[in-house]
Amino acid sequence: MFDRLPTRLDDAAIVSAAIRALAREGYDRHRIEDALIRQAPVDLDLLAECYERMFGHSGGPVLTDRAA
């Protein structure tokens, strides 16, 4: 049925840009992870690494959840 596997989010630049864009929209870490995972398969180690690099171990700035 399918000739190839779905695109995987495994490029640090793309994952970082997506995290940044979602954070600017007010998504918290959980919602960012959910949004990216729903979009395409994601290397979860890379996702965590990019997030920590951007916001630090504390989770960085407090981001509000848009659904709240």
Side-chain angles (χ1 to χ4, degrees), residues 4-60:
R4 61 190 174 120
L5 295 173
T7 303
R8 182 174 174 83
L9 295 175
D10 59 1
D11 181 309
I14 292 171
V15 172
S16 294
I19 291 170
R20 222 177 346 271
L22 292 169
R24 275 194 306 263
E25 291 298 317
Y27 286 79
D28 64 13
R29 184 174 183 159
H30 178 73
R31 297 271 307 203
I32 290 171
E33 291 175 0
D34 277 351
L36 293 179
I37 290 167
R38 288 175 190 266
Q39 185 64 34
V42 179
D43 180 325
L44 296 179
D45 290 332
L46 179 63
L47 177 61
E49 181 182 313
C50 290
Y51 197 95
E52 294 299 324
R53 193 176 319 133
M54 293 172 66
F55 298 111
H57 294 292
S58 67

